[in-house]
Amino acid sequence: MKIICIGRNYTKHIEELNSERPDEPVIFMKPDSAVLLKNNPFIIPPFSDNIHYEAEILVKINRIGKFIDKKFAHKYYEEIGLGIDFTARDLQSRLKEKGLPWEKAKAFDGSAVIGNFCNKSELDLDAIPFQLERNGEIVQDGNSSHMLWKIDELISYVSQFFTLKIGDIIFTGTPAGVGRVEADDVLVGKIADKDFFRVKVK
Ligand code: ZN
C-alpha cells in the first residue's frame, strides 16, 4: 500500500505558507511505515521543533488503474475518509530552500494519520465539510468545494505517473489553518460533524 499526497490544493493554504500556486498538482508520497497505528498517540519526533497538523480528506482506492480518464475516476474509489498529514515544517522549510526532496519532513514514522472512512454515497463529494479541532477549538474548517483539483481530477493526474492499487490512499491536500502541535494536544477530525479520528500528541 502506498500513500500519495497532494500539496497546495487549497488557495488559502498556499497563501498562508507563501507558496507559489502550482500549474499542476504537487505530489509527494509517504511509505506504509508512516501510518500511525490506530489508537496510538502521535509522538513528536526529536528532529523537529515545529510539527504541523494538516487535516485532509482521504480517498481509498479500490481498483487497479493507470492512465485513468477523469470521467472514469469515480469507479476507482468507494470510500472517503479523513486524516492528518503531519509535517515537520522547520525541516521542510530548510529542504525547500535548497530545492531538496521533502521526504524527511513529510514521510517519517507516524506522519500519516488515517482515520475512519464512510461510503462516498453519504457525501456530496463537491462539497464535503470537514474540520479539525485542537483541544476542542476548531483550527481548520475546510470544504472540498475549495480544492483547486477535485478528487476525480487528482486520481486521473496521479495515475499518469503511478499505478494505483487496491488499498492505496490519496491525501488530497489541506485547507488553511495549519499550525504547530504540542505535547498533550488532542486532535479530533470531523466530516459533517461526525468524528473520523481522535489523536493524542505526546
Ligand atoms: Zn498535506
Side-chain angles (χ1 to χ4, degrees):
M1 166 270 205
K2 59 184 172 295
I3 298 168
I4 301 156
C5 303
I6 308 301
R8 303 181 190 169
N9 202 22
Y10 290 83
T11 305
K12 283 184 184 152
H13 173 61
I14 295 171
E15 288 168 1
E16 75 181 345
L17 291 188
N18 291 317
S19 296
E20 218 173 282
R21 191 189 173 101
D23 298 324
E24 293 174 88
V26 173
I27 301 178
F28 58 93
M29 301 226 238
K30 294 181 191 258
D32 56 5
S33 50
V35 176
L36 183 68
L37 297 177
K38 277 246 151 60
N39 302 319
N40 277 23
F42 172 76
I43 295 168
I44 296 174
F47 51 78
S48 175
D49 284 323
N50 194 15
I51 296 286
H52 275 197
Y53 52 77
E54 294 190 356
E56 312 199 1
I57 290 184
L58 311 183
V59 180
K60 195 188 277 179
I61 299 298
N62 68 353
R63 278 175 70 173
I64 295 182
K66 188 164 177 65
F67 299 121
I68 299 165
D69 193 287
K70 192 184 126 190
K71 66 175 180 288
F72 299 121
H74 65 95
K75 295 174 185 274
Y76 290 81
Y77 63 101
E78 273 301 318
E79 290 180 285
I80 297 291
L82 196 66
I84 299 178
D85 163 22
F86 277 120
T87 303
R89 195 70 74 200
D90 43 358
L91 204 47
Q92 189 196 26
S93 301
R94 294 202 290 273
L95 295 168
K96 272 184 182 170
E97 267 172 33
K98 294 183 180 165
L100 293 170
W102 296 356
E103 271 79 359
K104 285 194 292 183
K106 284 283 198 182
F108 56 87
D109 288 359
S111 62
V113 172
I114 296 174
N116 296 337
F117 285 82
C118 68
N119 196 283
K120 67 180 180 185
S121 62
E122 294 172 39
L123 302 166
D124 172 2
L125 296 182
D126 291 326
I128 305 170
F130 64 104
Q131 292 178 323
L132 183 73
E133 289 179 6
R134 177 180 176 231
N135 306 326
E137 182 199 342
I138 296 169
V139 286
Q140 288 192 283
D141 193 0
N143 194 297
S144 65
S145 63
H146 299 139
M147 288 180 176
L148 294 177
W149 287 277
K150 308 293 178 198
I151 291 169
D152 289 1
E153 291 172 305
L154 292 173
I155 286 175
S156 174
Y157 184 81
V158 163
S159 76
Q160 309 304 306
F161 301 90
F162 311 110
T163 298
L164 294 177
K165 292 187 170 182
I166 295 168
D168 286 352
I169 294 188
I170 300 178
F171 277 60
T172 59
T174 197
V178 300
R180 188 172 182 268
V181 293
E182 282 175 46
D184 298 324
D185 279 355
V186 177
L187 301 170
V188 176
K190 298 182 177 195
I191 292 180
D193 290 329
K194 220 167 114 186
D195 286 11
F196 274 64
F197 64 75
R198 181 184 193 86
V199 178
K200 197 154 185 230
V201 178
K202 276 192 177 170

